[in-house]
Amino acid sequence: MANILITGCSSGFGLQAAKDLAARGHSVFATMRGLDAKNVAAASELMDFGTANDLSLYVGELDVTDEASVQAAVGQMLEKVGSIDVVVNNAGQMFVGITEAFTSEDLSRQLDINVVGPFRLCRAALPHMRAQGSGLVINVSSIAGRLAVPFFGVYHASKWGLEGLSESLRYELSGFGVEVVLVQPGPFTTNLFPRSPRPTDHATEEQYGELNNVLEGMSGAFDEVFEDPEMPTDPQLVVDAIVELVEMPAGTRPLRTVVGIDFGGARPINEATEPHRRTVLENMGMLHMDSVTTD
C-alpha cells in the first residue's frame, strides 16, 4: 500500500480519488485550500468518510501557489505517515477567453497555478522519493496539453508547459526509481469550466465583437455534451485511471494516459509522437533514461 498526497481535493477528481484510494487501503493525505473557510464542507466530507470507514485518510491545507504552504503540507504528511510514495498534482484552473484580453498578470497567475504549483510540490517531495529509491508523480494535465483551439490560449500555455516539464522530469528521475506520468482528461462534468476565470482586459475583449458570441456558443456546446448520458464525461473515469496508475507495477506505467473525449486528436497525437520521442532520446544516447530503475 502507498502513502499518497493529492492536491485539489475540494471537489471533482481530487475529492473522489482521495476516497477511492483510501478505500483500497492506501494512506491518503488529501489537500486543498481554505480548510476552515470556503472548503470546510469538502474537508468535513472527507474526514467523515475516513472515520466512518476506518481509513487512513487525512486532510490538510495546501495552496500550490504558496511555497510555505507546500512545504508545510509535505512536512505534515511525513509526520503522519512517515514517507511519500505518490504525489498526484491535481489542483488547477482553466482560464478561458479571448487570449489577447488576458493581461500578463492573468497569464502569470494561470502558469503559477498549473505549472509552477506542481513544480513546487515536486521540489518538496522529490528529495524524499529519491532518498527512498522509489516514487510516483502523477501530473493531471489535459488534452489541452496536446491540442490547441480558440479561446484556450492561456490554458494551453500552462498545460503544454506541464507536459514538457513532466517529460523532462521523467527522464532525469528514472535512475532514482521515481516515475513521472501524465493523465490527460478531456471535458468532464466537474467545476473546472463553470469556474473558469475570464480575461480582465475588457476593453480589448470588446474589440473582438462577435467572436465573443462564438465563445459563448462553445460553452453551450459543452453543456450539451455533458447532458448526453452516452458521452464519457463521468469524472469517475479519470479517478479510475489515477487509481490504475497508482497500482501498476513500477516500470510499466505509460507516460501519457488520455481519458474521455479527445475530439479525435490527443490519442493519435500521442501514438504518432511516441516513437519519435524515443528516437530523439536514442539519437542523443539517452534512451536508457526513459526506463525507471527498480530494485
Side-chain angles (χ1 to χ4, degrees):
M1 294 294 105
N3 297 329
I4 305 169
L5 189 155
I6 310 174
T7 65
C9 292
S10 62
S11 63
F13 307 144
L15 179 71
Q16 192 59 45
K19 290 181 177 181
D20 286 11
L21 286 164
R24 294 177 69 85
H26 301 286
S27 294
V28 177
F29 195 63
T31 68
M32 65 189 76
R33 295 182 302 158
L35 272 184
D36 301 320
K38 68 173 185 176
N39 288 324
V40 63
S44 296
E45 179 182 342
L46 284 170
M47 288 186 287
D48 291 345
F49 180 81
T51 300
N53 295 283
D54 193 25
L55 305 175
S56 295
L57 177 55
Y58 311 97
V59 181
E61 178 81 25
L62 194 158
D63 180 351
V64 298
T65 67
D66 186 304
E67 184 74 32
S69 176
V70 171
Q71 293 290 342
V74 169
Q76 289 166 11
M77 179 173 180
L78 290 171
E79 284 182 13
K80 286 185 179 295
V81 296
S83 68
I84 301 177
D85 301 313
V86 181
V87 165
V88 181
N89 276 309
N90 167 70
Q93 275 192 305
M94 182 171 68
F95 288 36
V96 179
I98 301 295
T99 302
E100 186 190 348
F102 286 105
T103 66
S104 56
E105 290 79 11
D106 294 335
L107 175 58
S108 294
R109 176 64 176 169
Q110 174 72 106
L111 296 176
D112 195 21
I113 297 167
N114 288 3
V115 184
V116 185
F119 183 65
R120 285 190 185 96
L121 185 51
C122 282
R123 285 208 10 112
L126 285 175
H128 306 283
M129 291 183 175
R130 287 190 287 105
Q132 68 193 16
S134 64
L136 170 64
V137 176
I138 300 176
N139 287 333
V140 179
S141 179
S142 168
I143 61 168
R146 288 303 242 182
L147 314 172
V149 296
F151 313 116
F152 288 79
V154 170
Y155 185 60
H156 286 312
S158 71
K159 290 303 185 181
W160 284 43
L162 182 62
E163 293 270 334
L165 177 68
S166 301
E167 197 165 323
S168 288
L169 281 171
R170 177 184 176 90
Y171 304 147
E172 294 168 15
L173 291 165
S174 62
F176 294 96
V178 179
E179 288 183 90
V180 180
V181 300
L182 291 148
V183 175
Q184 300 171 316
F188 280 90
T189 51
T190 67
N191 291 323
L192 188 65
F193 197 84
R195 294 179 179 175
S196 295
R198 297 303 172 96
T200 58
D201 180 359
H202 302 301
T204 296
E205 191 175 37
E206 290 174 2
Q207 293 170 21
Y208 277 77
E210 291 300 314
L211 199 59
N212 287 289
N213 295 331
V214 176
L215 172 58
E216 295 308 315
M218 179 181 287
S219 176
F222 277 125
D223 289 340
E224 291 181 9
V225 168
F226 296 148
E227 292 169 2
D228 185 346
E230 299 301 317
M231 299 299 285
T233 59
D234 183 350
Q236 186 64 45
L237 295 172
V238 177
V239 174
D240 290 345
I242 291 172
V243 171
E244 183 177 1
L245 286 166
V246 167
E247 297 183 347
M248 279 184 179
T252 67
R253 300 175 178 101
L255 170 55
R256 292 179 168 91
T257 300
V258 177
V259 187
I261 305 167
D262 76 340
F263 301 105
R267 286 185 180 86
I269 288 174
N270 288 346
E271 292 168 2
T273 59
E274 181 62 15
H276 302 294
R277 177 183 71 81
R278 292 181 59 80
T279 296
V280 169
L281 291 177
E282 184 175 19
N283 289 340
M284 296 180 71
M286 298 179 180
L287 187 57
H288 64 284
M289 297 179 72
D290 195 35
S291 300
V292 67
T293 301
T294 59
D295 293 333

